[in-house]
Amino acid sequence: MMHRRLTSFLVAAIIMLPLSARTASDFFINAPASVIPLLDKNTRLDMIDYFTGGLSTASRNVLNGNSRILINENNKIEIALSRESTLQIAVVELKKDTILAVIETVNIPVADSSLRFYNSDWVPLPQQAPQLTVVDFVASDKKAQANALLMPRMAFVKIDYNPNSGVFSFINTTADYYTDKDRPEGLELMRPHIDMIFDGKKLLETKPTKGK
């Protein structure tokens, strides 16, 4: 009973915090079930305690699988929901607003991510991540068209957020789908990643770093 009272007190205290003081773990704890259906609020609080205490203890999710926190920083928290999937919640601080980015990555057959945006009250935003194709990862469309028969049929993309730079990296994981025997020659034409910054309205590609 005491644990439940403390949990309720902590949740209420977190809700009352100003946005500037709320961290990614605060938003993780208070995310609605529609965003994190596998973990109830008490389980999330336990996971924070385990991570803060330096424990590798896993927590049971609603499907009786194991979940644990991998990274917990002020503006980013990453959770291993299961052996096959991870979830990132990023606090993207803009000039006039705070946006939440939720990145879910499934590792079957290879790492591939989805990205959704919410406001600070967990209301979904209309902005969507671009659906990158093989052509997007080739520096020149003409080069991709000229080598169309050698290119992979689809691209697999893992998304990662860097809270220090505010950059979303769309990492090309397409090569992991193939074995050495069936590896398309056109893979060599694809960039390893595409970096983007969210300006509040859409994701804009940053200028490639020299040599990347």
Side-chain angles (χ1 to χ4, degrees):
M1 180 66 70
M2 181 60 70
H3 176 74
R4 289 289 182 268
R5 289 177 181 174
L6 287 173
T7 296
S8 299
F9 174 78
L10 287 172
V11 170
I14 289 169
I15 292 174
M16 294 298 292
L17 286 172
L19 287 180
S20 59
R22 293 169 70 179
T23 64
S25 61
D26 298 332
F27 286 107
F28 165 65
I29 291 168
N30 288 287
S34 58
V35 177
I36 313 179
L38 285 182
L39 302 169
D40 62 43
K41 190 165 291 186
N42 287 333
T43 301
R44 298 177 208 174
L45 284 165
D46 288 340
M47 292 170 69
I48 295 292
D49 287 342
Y50 294 146
F51 186 88
T52 302
L55 302 176
S56 59
T57 307
S59 297
R60 284 286 181 180
N61 57 48
V62 298
L63 297 180
N64 288 322
N66 290 326
S67 301
R68 59 169 53 86
I69 294 174
L70 303 176
I71 297 171
N72 187 10
E73 302 172 350
N74 279 345
N75 289 338
K76 173 181 172 179
I77 187 169
E78 183 171 352
I79 305 99
L81 292 175
S82 67
R83 289 183 299 177
E84 296 83 19
S85 64
T86 60
L87 184 78
Q88 283 186 32
I89 296 177
V91 181
V92 184
E93 296 180 351
L94 305 175
K95 290 182 179 179
K96 297 182 179 179
D97 203 358
T98 296
I99 300 298
L100 303 175
V102 176
I103 302 168
E104 187 166 4
T105 301
V106 178
N107 297 304
I108 297 176
V110 297
D112 197 44
S113 301
S114 62
L115 170 59
R116 294 165 289 161
F117 291 105
Y118 299 83
N119 69 14
S120 56
D121 293 320
W122 285 112
V123 175
L125 297 177
Q127 292 88 343
Q128 296 182 358
Q131 299 298 310
L132 299 179
T133 67
V134 171
V135 173
D136 293 313
F137 281 95
V138 180
S140 168
D141 288 352
K142 292 182 179 179
K143 185 180 292 186
Q145 292 170 2
N147 295 275
L149 295 178
L150 305 178
M151 303 301 296
R153 294 183 178 180
M154 66 181 71
F156 293 93
V157 183
K158 177 182 178 180
I159 305 173
D160 186 50
Y161 179 72
N162 185 332
N164 295 320
S165 62
V167 169
F168 290 88
S169 288
F170 291 73
I171 302 164
N172 177 15
T173 59
T174 309
D176 296 337
Y177 182 74
Y178 297 94
T179 65
D180 291 339
K181 292 182 179 180
D182 62 1
R183 184 182 179 89
E185 295 179 27
L187 281 173
E188 306 303 325
L189 299 175
M190 297 178 69
R191 291 184 283 171
H193 60 86
I194 296 174
D195 293 338
M196 298 187 179
I197 290 181
F198 187 65
D199 69 352
K201 296 181 179 180
K202 58 184 177 180
L203 283 160
L204 302 173
E205 184 173 352
T206 63
K207 293 182 179 179
T209 303
K210 192 172 182 180
K212 298 271 182 169

